[in-house]
Amino acid sequence: MRIGVDVGGTNTDAVLIDGEKVLSWCKMPTTPDVGDGITTAITKVMTDAGVSSTEIQCVMIGTTHFTNAFVERKNLLPVGIIRIALPAARALPPLLDWPEDIANKVGDNIHLIRGGYQYDGRLNEALDEEAIAAAAITLNKKKIHTVAVTSLFSSVNNDMELRAAEILKEHMTDVSVSLSHTIGRIGILERENATIMNASLADMAGSVVKSFRQALKNLNITAPFYVSQNDGTLMSADFVAKYPVLTFASGPTNSMRGAAYLSGVKDAIVADIGGTTTDIGMLVNGYPRESSVTVDIGGIRTNFRMPDVLALGLGGGSLVRQEAGKVTVGPQSVGYRLSEEGLVFNGSTLTSSDIAVAAGYAEMGDISKVSALETGLIAQAVDAIHAIISEGVDRMKTSSEPVPLILVGGGSILINRDISGTSKTLIPDHASVANAIGAAIAQIGAEIDKVFSYDEVGREIAMESAKREAIEKAIAAGADEETIKIIDIEEVPLAYVPGGAVRLRIKAAGQLSFAQNTLTEIFKGKGE
């Protein structure tokens, strides 16, 4: 007996599942204090199913709060940026390819420090500890409270990042430190981007997790609760407070898993249309296709584990504007205020939901409030909405063959015509809460990403060692050993590197073992 919750920018969805049976579900407006919306949603599903809080074994929560913060450029802190790589990487400074508006919010508090390792963990340059201390003092004077630290090849050897964190905490007051080896993969620029993004969300992460925890306490739910990661697996609440960036795309990941679960279709494109954003991904054998390249989040390239998801600024609350005869939709959105600010809800803001009502293919609110809209404006806006989805589908496909399109999310009402490149459009039962269902059926997973020398240990031994390590990490994180499977293997020879060097990335996942609740203990020592 478990509850899945998905907190979106506009709605908070909840489902109560017993085994594989959906007992009840609901969709509630997201509240300014996310905890209030969670409390209301969980109360309703338990009441509707006649289930008490003592019967709940586990609560899984997914959220798009942190992704939306970057898409909309909101609630971001200025960040102290420390790169430990000199004399290498001087020519490409941090924030080089960031959009100007978001780079300005994060700030230019950049410090380049001598140090770093080579691809196999050997020393490239000793860490300049005095420079780290000087940077810490400078950042402290500027009242910077969150710092991102990235070292050359720290995913192979993390010693310098850990030492830098110690020095920063010695010289700064009330500082949150994000270390790149706990977030990203090999590739310093993209890993650094992800780390800076994580650091900028420090305050927001603490606030969101506090709201989650208080909501469950108010409901007298003592069962453990976990938060969905962006690879479709779960992490502890304490861990997400430190690493909110790992929730990026967890909403669409949950939606894709939920879409496969509800429709029975294992290979398809899924479009999750929420109130603020649309996330488009590809299902392969029932799981989201994982990105093998850098992933763009709000215009910023990252390389941490992510499903191959395209995030678009289109949702039920997207603003519709007409300037010089041209109609645009999004990316700004009224979000959870749709029921207050949308025209059909007696508000004064024209949104995509108003357009769907005015066009006659959606029913909500008071249709008379949009009866005066110009026919040309409505037609252009409808075309713009469908063009955004069509372009997204085209970008996600890997061949010209038509594939099924599964629409989920409350914003699926925005689509009323066939999308080019698709064979059929499916909207399964409970589609509006597919994200919450995906959260409820999430698994415990673990991943290793290391460089091995095949000349020294051999391919077979290296592969078995990596698989065993991934499985052991999954067991330690709380997975049922009997259900664990290796679900992804990536083997990439490193060109121009001696010793037959090969990068192995192996992922294992299994069902949550309700007999153990060890996630918190595992993540207390995160930083390994």
Side-chain angles (χ1 to χ4, degrees), residues 146-227:
T146 181
V147 180
V149 179
T150 306
S151 174
L152 193 64
F153 282 110
S154 62
S155 53
V156 177
N157 190 327
N158 58 28
D159 288 350
M160 289 191 188
E161 287 192 357
L162 293 174
R163 177 58 184 148
E166 292 176 355
I167 297 172
L168 289 169
K169 291 176 180 178
E170 289 173 2
H171 293 84
M172 298 181 71
T173 55
D174 191 29
V175 64
S176 171
V177 182
S178 296
L179 304 179
S180 76
H181 73 271
T182 64
I183 296 171
R185 295 170 171 168
I186 293 174
I188 188 169
L189 294 180
E190 293 79 12
R191 175 160 42 89
E192 179 178 66
N193 286 347
T195 309
I196 296 169
M197 295 165 77
N198 186 77
S200 71
L201 293 166
D203 278 2
M204 184 180 183
S207 176
V208 169
V209 170
K210 182 179 179 181
S211 294
F212 289 171
R213 184 175 282 113
Q214 186 61 47
L216 297 181
K217 183 178 179 181
N218 292 342
L219 292 166
N220 296 317
I221 294 177
T222 58
F225 85 94
Y226 304 102
V227 178

